Amino acid sequence: MVICIYGASSPRIDSSYIEAVEILGEKLAKRGHSLVYGCGSSGLMGAAARGFKKAGGYVHGVIPNFFEENGYEAIFYESDKITRTETMADRKEIMENTCDAFIVTPGGVGTFEELFQILTLKQLGRHNKAIALFNVNGYFDDFKKLLLGIAEKEFMADECNDLYTLISDVDKLIDYVENYDGKVPSWQVLKIGKKD
């Protein structure tokens, strides 16, 4: 499988996150999977890529030209393939279309923007790929509470919280992604405004 991993690029985060994501990448590669990701060499992006490479895995990095030109992000030049794009939208589209499953690791606004896009597309039936949030140190607990609260106030259907899962154990996370059944729920394309 080709796994898309999203996550922080910040080099300032606690080492426990970096170590966990590097182990994740290494274990995924050992199980025969490859990586497509944002091509960063620092933070959790770099950790995922290093983990894959450590185990001999294939790494495809996707990076907008302006990131490299303006030094926004350190590039992982050890990637097996680097695709350069003009826009952030092009970057996301390539990662979304190339992968078989998504793993979201802790991150900032860019990571959440990517997460909300794939959740929205899944809700609208544009894909039915696994979305697993790697809940290192309980990072996504507050995110889950936020979405549960949004659903409770009826700004979002309760079923949208079934589109993803939070898992803190790396082996259970990989098992979930590998065994995801990909069945399309009957409600997946939501009927706006319709209530039972």
Side-chain angles (χ1 to χ4, degrees), residues 6 38 45 62-67 72-73 85-96 109-111 113-114 117:
Y6 297 132
M45 285 204 291
V62 186
I63 190 82
N65 287 320
F66 69 88
F67 270 49
Y72 289 149
E73 202 166 90
T85 67
E86 288 304 312
T87 68
M88 292 288 281
D90 292 340
R91 179 198 211 186
K92 288 185 296 180
E93 184 177 8
I94 289 169
M95 291 191 289
E96 290 163 11
V109 293
T111 301
E113 190 263 345
E114 291 164 330
Q117 176 156 318

Side-chain angles (χ1 to χ4, degrees), residues 67-152:
F67 270 49
E68 195 167 19
E69 291 163 1
N70 298 308
Y72 289 149
E73 202 166 90
I75 311 295
F76 189 72
Y77 289 107
E78 294 80 11
S79 297
D80 297 283
K81 178 180 179 181
I82 297 177
T83 300
R84 291 171 171 83
T85 67
E86 288 304 312
T87 68
M88 292 288 281
D90 292 340
R91 179 198 211 186
K92 288 185 296 180
E93 184 177 8
I94 289 169
M95 291 191 289
E96 290 163 11
N97 292 339
T98 301
C99 77
D100 300 302
F102 298 96
I103 295 176
V104 185
T105 69
V109 293
T111 301
F112 280 102
E113 190 263 345
E114 291 164 330
L115 170 56
F116 277 114
Q117 176 156 318
I118 60 172
L119 282 174
T120 301
L121 291 173
K122 189 170 183 178
Q123 172 186 289
L124 296 172
R126 306 311 298 166
H127 76 83
N128 197 41
K129 300 172 184 179
I131 301 175
L133 281 57
F134 189 20
N135 199 26
V136 183
N137 298 336
Y139 185 84
F140 287 107
D141 290 349
D142 288 336
F143 172 80
K144 180 75 171 185
K145 288 177 188 174
L146 172 67
L147 291 196
L148 288 171
I150 290 170
E152 185 180 338

Side-chain angles (χ1 to χ4, degrees), residues 112-196:
F112 280 102
E113 190 263 345
E114 291 164 330
L115 170 56
F116 277 114
Q117 176 156 318
I118 60 172
L119 282 174
T120 301
L121 291 173
K122 189 170 183 178
Q123 172 186 289
L124 296 172
R126 306 311 298 166
H127 76 83
N128 197 41
K129 300 172 184 179
I131 301 175
L133 281 57
F134 189 20
N135 199 26
V136 183
N137 298 336
Y139 185 84
F140 287 107
D141 290 349
D142 288 336
F143 172 80
K144 180 75 171 185
K145 288 177 188 174
L146 172 67
L147 291 196
L148 288 171
I150 290 170
E152 185 180 338
K153 295 176 180 70
E154 298 191 351
F155 285 92
M156 178 181 90
D158 289 333
E159 293 91 346
C160 289
N161 282 301
D162 298 330
L163 296 176
Y164 63 94
T165 188
L166 274 65
I167 304 175
S168 57
D169 179 270
V170 81
D171 294 311
K172 290 178 181 176
L173 185 147
I174 295 171
D175 287 341
Y176 172 82
V177 168
E178 289 179 337
N179 296 302
Y180 183 73
D181 63 19
K183 292 179 182 173
V184 178
S186 59
W187 61 268
Q188 193 164 24
V189 179
L190 299 176
K191 294 176 176 60
I192 305 301
K194 181 176 180 180
K195 295 186 76 169
D196 294 331

Side-chain angles (χ1 to χ4, degrees), residues 3 5-6 17-31 33 44 47-48 51-52 103-105 132 134 136 169-171 173-174 177:
I3 310 295
I5 295 184
Y6 297 132
Y17 294 97
I18 292 171
E19 290 163 7
V21 173
E22 192 162 334
I23 289 168
L24 169 67
E26 185 176 356
K27 288 191 172 192
L28 284 165
K30 284 180 177 176
R31 286 166 77 153
H33 305 300
L44 301 188
F52 267 88
I103 295 176
V104 185
T105 69
F134 189 20
V136 183
D169 179 270
V170 81
D171 294 311
L173 185 147
I174 295 171
V177 168

